[in-house]
C-alpha cells in the first residue's frame, strides 16, 4: 500500500498496538512462521455458573466481543490478509480456535489462497466440564496449519515429531493438558490471562515447522507463551499486543527464560539429508565381520553377513532389506531396523547403531 510506513524488523520485541495496524507496518515477506490465537467470539449470553452457583471464570473481555458474524468475518479477513503478506513465500501459519470461530477462519484462509496442510485436534486431558449438563463436555480445540499458498515449500520437521512421539509417526490428535498449576500465570490470585495456552502446545508447533534462528510472529501475543517457547528453542519472536498489562506480564515471563547453550540440541537432523551408508561399508570397515550372524530382535530369523555386503539366510540371499522382507513374507522391510547383531553376550542391538557410528566418523 502506497505511503505505508514500515517498521524495522526488531526481533524478540513486543509491539504495542492493534494487531492489524501493527502488522501493516511490518515488511512483506519478513517472517518464517505465524502462530495466531485470535479472539474466539464466544457469543456468551449471561454469566456461566457452576452447580453451586459460583461464577465460572470465562472469557468475557471486550477484545472477544463482536457485534455480528459479519463483523468477525471482516476482522478475520483483515488480519489474515496482513499475515499472508508478512509471511515469507515458504512460510506457514498456525491458527487455533474453537467451534465458535475456527470454521469461519477456515473459510477465510481458503478464500485468501492459503493452503491447508492439517487440522490438528488439541484433545485436552483435563477439560472444564459442562456445568449445565446440556451439551457434551467441550474437550478440544482445533489448530489449522497451512502454508502461504499451494506452491510453498513449507518446513515440516518430521523426524523431530517422530522422536517426540517415541519414534512413532505423530498423529493429528494431540493429547495435552490445559494450562494450569505452576505454569498458569496469576495476578492477585486470579488468572492473569483467560486463554493462556500451555507451553507444551507451542513446543510442538514451533518444533514441527521452524528451525533455530527463524522468526515467529504472534499477532495476539497475550501472556507471551509463543515468545517464551520460541526463546527456549532458539527461535526469534515478534509479538503484537494492545493490552499494557499483558505486555508487562509477557516481558517479565520471557525475561526469565534461559536459552540452551548448546544450539545443536535444538535441531533434529533429517534422515533424508544424512549421507547414504551402504551396508557393505560396515563390512569393509570392520564394523561387522564376514560370517557374523544377524537376527531379528525375537531371534525368529537369522542370516549371515557375506564379504560383499549381502546377507544369506537358510533360503534367501540378497540385501539386508530384501532378505528381511523375504523371511517375513512381507512386501518390504527396513533392514537397518529389522536386523540385529550380538553385543555383550546374548544381547542384541540393531545394525542401525553401526550405521550411525559410521556417519559420525564421516562427519
Amino acid at each position: 500500500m502506497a505511503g505505508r510506513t514500515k517498521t524495522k524488523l526488531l526481533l524478540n520485541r513486543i509491539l504495542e498496538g492493534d494487531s492489524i495496524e501493527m502488522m501493516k507496518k511490518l515488511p512483506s515477506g519478513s517472517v518464517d512462521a505465524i502462530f495466531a490465537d485470535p479472539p474466539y467470539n464466544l457469543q456468551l449470553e449471561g454469566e456461566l455458573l457452576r452447580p453451586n452457583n459460583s461464577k465460572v471464570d470465562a472469557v468475557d473481555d471486550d477484545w472477544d466481543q463482536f457485534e455480528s458474524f459479519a463483523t468477525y468475518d471482516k476482522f478475520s479477513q483483515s488480519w489474515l490478509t496482513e499475515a499472508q503478506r508478512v509471511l515469507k513465500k515458504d512460510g506457514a501459519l498456525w491458527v487455533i480456535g474453537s467451534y465458535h470461530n475456527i470454521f469461519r477462519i477456515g473459510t477465510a484462509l481458503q478464500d485468501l489462497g492459503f493452503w491447508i496442510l492439517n487440522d490438528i485436534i488439541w484433545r485436552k486431558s483435563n477439560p472444564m466440564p459442562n456445568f449445565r449438563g446440556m451439551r457434551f463436555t467441550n474437550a478440544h480445540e482445533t489448530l489449522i496449519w497451512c502454508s502461504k499458498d499451494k506452491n510453498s515449500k513449507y518446513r515440516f520437521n518430521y523426524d523431530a515429531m517422530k522422536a517426540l512421539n517415541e519414534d512413532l509417526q505423530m498423529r493429528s490428535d494431540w493429547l495435552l493438558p490445559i494450562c494450569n498449576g505452576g505454569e498458569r500465570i496469576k495476578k492477585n490470585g486470579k488468572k492473569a490471562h483467560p486463554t493462556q495456552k500451555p507451553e507444551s502446545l507451542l513446543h510442538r508447533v514451533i518444533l514441527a515447522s521452524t528451525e533455530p534462528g527463524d522468526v515467529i510472529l504472534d499477532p495476539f501475543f497475550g501472556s507471551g507463551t509463543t515468545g517464551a517457547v520460541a526463546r527456549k528453542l532458539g527461535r526469534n519472536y515478534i509479538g503484537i499486543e494492545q493490552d499494557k498489562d499483558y505486555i508487562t506480564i509477557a516481558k517479565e515471563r520471557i525475561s526469565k527464560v534461559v536459552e540452551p547453550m548448546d544450539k545443536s540440541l535444538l535441531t533434529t537432523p533429517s534422515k533424508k539429508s544424512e549421507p547414504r551408508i551402504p551396508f557393505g561399508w560396515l563390512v569393509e570397515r570392520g564394523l561387522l565381520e564376514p560370517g557374523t550372524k544377524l537376527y531379528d530382535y525375537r531371534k525368529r530369523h537369522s542370516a549371515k553377513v557375506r564379504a560383499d555386503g549381502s546377507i544369506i539366510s537358510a533360503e534367501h540371499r540378497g540385501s539386508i532389506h530384501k532378505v528381511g522382507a523375504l523371511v517375513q513374507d512381507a512386501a518390504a522391510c527396513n533392514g537397518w531396523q529389522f536386523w540385529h547383531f550380538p553385543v555383550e553376550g546374548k544381547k542384541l542391538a540393531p545394525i542401525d547403531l553401526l550405521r550411525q557410528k559410521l556417519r559420525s566418523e564421516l562427519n
Side-chain angles (χ1 to χ4, degrees):
M1 183 182 295
R4 178 183 292 171
T5 301
K6 294 293 189 297
T7 298
K8 182 180 179 182
L9 199 65
L10 298 175
L11 302 181
N12 305 316
R13 298 288 190 275
I14 305 174
L15 307 178
E16 181 181 343
D18 176 79
S19 297
I20 297 170
E21 294 305 313
M22 296 308 294
M23 274 196 285
K24 286 180 178 179
K25 297 179 181 181
L26 297 178
S28 298
S30 58
V31 303
D32 298 283
I34 296 174
F35 176 82
D37 184 9
Y40 284 13
N41 191 26
L42 294 181
Q43 309 127 48
L44 294 178
E45 297 181 359
E47 293 184 342
L48 182 59
L49 303 177
R50 296 184 176 88
N52 64 0
N53 285 326
S54 61
K55 183 180 178 181
V56 176
D57 187 13
V59 182
D60 54 6
D61 303 80
D62 290 341
W63 50 258
D64 193 63
Q65 308 300 313
F66 294 83
E67 63 182 24
S68 66
F69 286 130
T71 303
Y72 186 78
D73 291 345
K74 183 178 180 181
F75 164 75
S76 298
Q77 287 273 351
S78 296
W79 77 258
L80 285 171
T81 296
E82 288 305 315
Q84 190 173 43
R85 182 186 63 80
V86 301
L87 269 178
K88 294 180 180 178
K89 64 183 181 67
D90 294 329
L93 176 143
W94 293 77
V95 59
I96 187 170
S98 69
Y99 67 88
H100 301 89
N101 70 326
I102 198 64
F103 303 110
R104 309 189 77 86
I105 288 178
T107 297
L109 286 167
Q110 292 183 319
D111 287 347
L112 289 170
F114 283 94
W115 190 252
I116 295 178
L117 302 169
N118 274 116
D119 62 329
I120 305 292
I121 301 301
W122 168 29
R123 190 157 59 93
K124 302 173 183 179
S125 59
N126 52 345
M128 180 184 295
N130 185 274
F131 293 107
R132 293 176 179 171
M134 299 180 67
R135 301 184 186 183
F136 296 108
T137 296
N138 186 24
H140 77 277
E141 292 184 34
T142 302
L143 296 94
I144 297 177
W145 174 40
C146 53
S147 58
K148 184 169 182 174
D149 58 48
K150 184 177 180 179
N151 299 315
S152 296
K153 297 179 181 179
Y154 61 91
R155 169 174 290 279
F156 177 45
N157 297 322
Y158 171 83
D159 293 299
M161 291 295 96
K162 190 175 180 181
L164 197 64
N165 199 39
E166 294 190 338
D167 212 31
L168 295 174
Q169 188 176 72
M170 182 74 77
R171 292 164 39 128
S172 62
D173 53 336
W174 297 354
L175 180 63
L176 297 168
I178 62 173
C179 185
N180 58 11
E183 185 182 350
R184 169 67 74 173
I185 301 173
K186 294 188 177 182
K187 186 177 181 180
N188 299 323
K190 296 182 179 180
K191 295 177 182 177
H193 192 287
T195 62
Q196 181 184 342
K197 294 300 182 287
E199 291 194 6
S200 57
L201 184 70
L202 269 296
H203 185 99
R204 286 196 187 180
V205 167
I206 292 173
L207 194 65
S209 54
T210 66
E211 62 181 351
D214 278 357
V215 179
I216 304 166
L217 169 67
D218 185 336
F220 309 98
F221 204 58
S223 60
T225 303
T226 299
V229 178
R231 187 170 182 183
K232 287 181 180 180
L233 295 177
R235 277 71 167 172
N236 298 297
Y237 70 88
I238 299 172
I240 301 176
E241 179 55 54
Q242 61 184 355
D243 189 297
K244 294 180 183 294
D245 290 338
Y246 291 163
I247 292 175
T248 299
I249 291 168
K251 284 182 176 179
E252 182 179 356
R253 176 185 185 182
I254 296 170
S255 69
K256 298 176 182 177
V257 176
V258 179
E259 294 185 48
M261 296 294 291
D262 188 350
K263 301 299 183 183
S264 67
L265 301 176
L266 302 177
T267 59
T268 303
S270 171
K271 291 181 180 179
K272 293 181 180 180
S273 64
E274 293 179 330
R276 181 175 175 273
I277 304 292
F279 177 71
W281 289 14
L282 273 60
V283 181
E284 66 183 10
R285 294 179 183 237
L287 296 177
L288 285 176
E289 298 291 340
T292 301
K293 203 166 187 179
L294 304 179
Y295 305 87
D296 70 297
Y297 78 102
R298 292 181 180 175
K299 285 195 170 184
R300 293 177 301 179
H301 307 288
S302 63
K304 288 184 179 180
V305 176
R306 295 171 55 87
D308 61 2
S310 64
I311 62 174
I312 184 169
S313 69
E315 299 179 353
H316 308 288
R317 169 182 158 184
S319 71
I320 55 173
H321 311 296
K322 179 180 178 180
V323 176
L326 289 171
V327 297
Q328 298 177 88
D329 194 24
C333 171
N334 182 344
W336 292 107
Q337 298 292 336
F338 179 74
W339 293 111
H340 292 62
F341 67 101
V343 291
E344 300 178 6
K346 296 182 179 180
K347 292 184 179 181
L348 296 175
I351 58 175
D352 194 42
L353 291 180
L354 299 177
R355 177 172 64 164
Q356 295 303 326
K357 179 181 178 181
L358 185 51
R359 274 191 177 137
S360 65
E361 291 176 356
L362 292 175
N363 292 334

